[in-house]
Amino acid sequence: MISINLALRPADLRKKIERLWEISAQKILAIDLLDSPSQPAPVFTVQGKYTTHAGAESVPGFLYGSALLQFDAFWDESFLHLARMRIGQRMPPYVTRTGAHDHGFNIISTYGNLWRLLNEKRLQIAEQDRQFIELALQCSGAVQAARWTHTANGEGFIYSWHGPHSLLAESIRTLRALALAHKLGQVLSGERDERVSLLRRLVEHARTTAKWNVFYGSNRDLYDVRGRVAQESIFSVADGSYRSPSTQQGWSPFTTWTRGLASLMLGFTELLEYTATLNGADLEKIGGREALEAVLLNAARATCDFYIDQTPTDGIPYWDTGAPGLRQLSNYLERPAEPHNHFEPVDSSAAAIAAQGLLRLGNILTTRGQFSDAGRYTQAGLTVLDTLFDEPYLSTDPNHQGLILHAVHHRPNGWDYTPPGGYIPHGESTACGDYHAREVALYLQRVYEEKPYLSFSGH
């Protein structure tokens, strides 16, 4: 269980965050030297060098989005120019990419960040360029919403690249594409020009995910522990009925892959913040604000509580809460994580995502006047970052292109690098982990600098 430091304040992490941005700058530039628009984007590091990998094309947005976050934090316009150039070269095909569920990662990290900077008046561009950015967001949301499987209860979900039977936990974060497109007035034009509401599909996907990918201790099966999550839910394509839990990147359907858990923690809290900005009349058509927020908040609290309970004392989780080698690490939840152990890798990328979910949930409960509960989540998030933004996780070696060490991309497939003489992957970084570390650093920086609250929807 995380040993929550109740004394930490956001400003206490200022020096660590300033150091992170200083290190981050040269690493972004080093990665860009490797990047060629004609080649797959780098995914994770091998011996400190970012490397491409076929079948992992969800990450160009993380690379160029990182440059935008660097600009946002430091006002260094060279990173803004770099990001805009690379987005223009690389990202247009992803706007209408119909074969994947990752528009939230690719499009919101790039065009979405540009749109947010425009709304914050941090970026001045020609009106036609703004219209192009908004058109990209509108197209992305509609394309993603078209990737739809109907469920037996008449609702549905955005299916993953594994096929129409597959609902992935991390797809919760692609709902940001639907959210911004809806905000810009976009609808999906279906067969015979049927007007399909992007907001309705967003809400239905969120409800389906909360119902089937999250457990609540209600005896659904023998492994029903409150807050545990299944990375994947399988549905019958014949009648839309739920069939079973599954996983692609975790140890088993009945254990919890921690990056999937972290994605749900952050996804549900972001949707709660977004829902608060919506017109009540729009929500009444799809069940009402109160009912929707109850579902989202229940899922957010359950997953955040599980993370706190099932993570070592310093806030860095192992890659899966049921990984078989953990039994060799007796009492591993009662001490800090051990990235150099001989049995199972930790995953710092999950920590970077989870910390932001914890902080956002703390903020949501603060606005609701639930100060005691809010403090628990906020302080847990700060505790995670106090560890993550320092050695041995912060990559201070200028020859290593990663920012956050000891991240795992795909453990079951064996893609992650294990050094000679080692037993498990360690010492490497992922584009996902590095991007989310920068994003949560910017989030917290805005808190202690009392700057506008960081939100994908720009509210």
Side-chain angles (χ1 to χ4, degrees):
M1 177 185 291
I2 298 177
S3 180
I4 299 175
N5 185 341
L6 298 177
L8 275 176
R9 295 296 177 263
D12 295 338
L13 274 69
R14 179 190 293 267
K15 289 185 178 180
K16 289 187 176 182
I17 290 174
E18 289 175 349
R19 184 183 183 210
L20 178 145
W21 289 122
E22 291 171 0
I23 293 170
S24 166
Q26 60 92 9
K27 294 181 183 292
I28 290 172
L29 295 175
I31 298 168
D32 185 68
L33 292 175
L34 294 176
D35 190 26
S36 169
S38 64
Q39 299 295 324
V43 180
F44 48 76
T45 63
V46 173
Q47 295 181 286
K49 307 299 181 184
Y50 259 101
T51 304
T52 63
H53 198 286
E57 275 290 278
S58 63
V59 294
F62 289 149
L63 299 178
Y64 315 133
S66 286
L68 290 173
L69 298 178
Q70 186 77 27
F71 160 73
D72 198 338
F74 257 27
W75 285 78
D76 185 337
E77 292 199 357
S78 65
F79 289 96
L80 174 62
H81 298 322
L82 172 63
R84 292 187 65 188
M85 178 178 65
R86 291 298 190 221
I87 290 169
Q89 290 174 335
R90 170 78 79 158
M91 299 311 298
Y94 289 87
V95 171
T96 54
R97 189 182 185 206
T98 61
H101 60 273
D102 56 18
H103 282 239
F105 296 146
N106 270 317
I107 305 305
I108 302 306
S109 300
T110 52
Y111 295 102
N113 271 325
L114 286 172
W115 185 76
R116 176 181 58 78
L117 289 167
L118 281 169
N119 291 338
E120 293 174 349
K121 303 189 185 308
R122 300 283 303 280
L123 177 60
Q124 300 294 325
I125 60 175
E127 180 61 23
Q128 64 185 26
D129 290 333
R130 181 187 183 100
Q131 292 173 355
F132 178 81
I133 290 170
E134 293 184 346
L135 178 60
L137 293 170
Q138 289 172 278
C139 291
S140 170
V143 166
Q144 194 74 120
R147 194 175 175 83
W148 194 251
T149 290
H150 290 281
T151 51
N153 68 348
E155 295 199 345
F157 60 89
I158 297 166
Y159 64 87
S160 83
W161 49 26
H162 302 299
H165 61 286
S166 170
L167 167 60
L168 287 185
E170 55 268 38
S171 296
I172 193 81
R173 302 209 63 220
T174 208
L175 296 183
R176 295 173 295 162
L178 279 68
L180 292 190
H182 171 76
K183 192 166 186 174
L184 292 168
Q186 186 70 22
V187 297
L188 171 63
S189 294
E191 296 295 328
R192 298 184 180 181
D193 288 327
E194 175 193 8
R195 293 173 63 84
V196 178
S197 167
L198 301 188
L199 179 60
R200 176 177 290 276
R201 291 214 161 167
L202 179 157
V203 168
E204 289 185 4
H205 181 104
R207 286 195 292 231
T208 304
T209 301
K211 181 176 182 179
W212 296 114
N213 289 66
V214 181
F215 292 80
Y216 299 96
S218 58
N219 297 318
R220 182 172 132 190
D221 61 29
L222 289 177
Y223 305 94
D224 187 348
V225 176
R226 179 177 177 270
R228 189 183 78 75
V229 309
Q231 184 199 4
E232 187 175 33
S233 291
I234 302 297
F235 291 80
S236 167
V237 296
D239 63 7
S241 60
Y242 172 79
R243 303 306 299 157
S244 68
S246 184
T247 188
Q248 301 292 328
Q249 289 173 268
W251 164 246
S252 84
F254 302 101
T255 62
T256 292
W257 177 54
T258 51
R259 194 159 78 244
L261 170 66
S263 296
L264 290 173
M265 293 164 63
L266 179 52
F268 285 123
T269 53
E270 284 183 318
L271 290 177
L272 278 164
E273 292 174 339
Y274 172 72
T275 300
T277 70
L278 295 176
N279 185 300
D282 291 339
L283 290 172
E284 285 303 317
K285 302 173 185 176
I286 43 182
R289 183 189 304 278
E290 184 176 348
L292 174 60
E293 290 185 346
V295 169
L296 298 176
L297 186 58
N298 189 32
R301 293 191 66 150
T303 51
C304 286
D305 288 343
F306 185 84
Y307 185 89
I308 291 171
D309 291 342
Q310 296 297 317
T311 297
T313 57
D314 60 353
I316 310 299
Y318 289 88
W319 73 280
D320 190 292
T321 62
L326 291 178
R327 64 187 178 87
Q328 305 290 336
L329 298 170
S330 60
N331 302 319
Y332 66 93
L333 293 179
E334 298 175 12
R335 60 180 184 273
E338 301 172 18
H340 297 283
N341 78 83
H342 289 178
F343 302 103
E344 295 290 354
V346 303
D347 188 2
S348 61
S349 70
I353 300 168
Q356 191 177 164
L358 291 165
L359 293 173
R360 289 187 185 275
L361 181 55
N363 181 69
I364 289 164
L365 294 178
T366 296
T367 63
R368 293 172 174 233
Q370 299 176 30
F371 300 112
S372 177
D373 287 348
R376 178 172 182 263
Y377 297 117
T378 298
Q379 296 307 128
L382 293 174
T383 301
V384 174
L385 296 183
D386 195 38
T387 303
L388 190 70
F389 291 167
D390 208 343
E391 289 92 338
Y393 296 99
L394 185 66
S395 174
T396 57
D397 181 355
N399 295 315
H400 196 296
Q401 292 170 346
L403 179 63
I404 300 295
L405 302 177
H406 310 304
V408 175
H409 183 76
H410 203 311
R411 176 62 170 156
N413 277 1
W415 292 350
D416 300 281
Y417 178 72
T418 300
Y423 295 87
I424 58 167
H426 64 270
E428 303 296 345
S429 305
T430 67
C432 173
D434 286 358
Y435 175 85
H436 283 98
R438 293 179 176 104
E439 189 174 68
V440 72
L442 180 62
Y443 175 95
L444 197 59
Q445 178 180 326
R446 288 200 175 189
V447 171
Y448 64 67
E449 290 182 349
E450 299 182 350
K451 297 287 180 62
Y453 190 79
L454 184 66
S455 165
F456 77 88
S457 61
H459 69 271

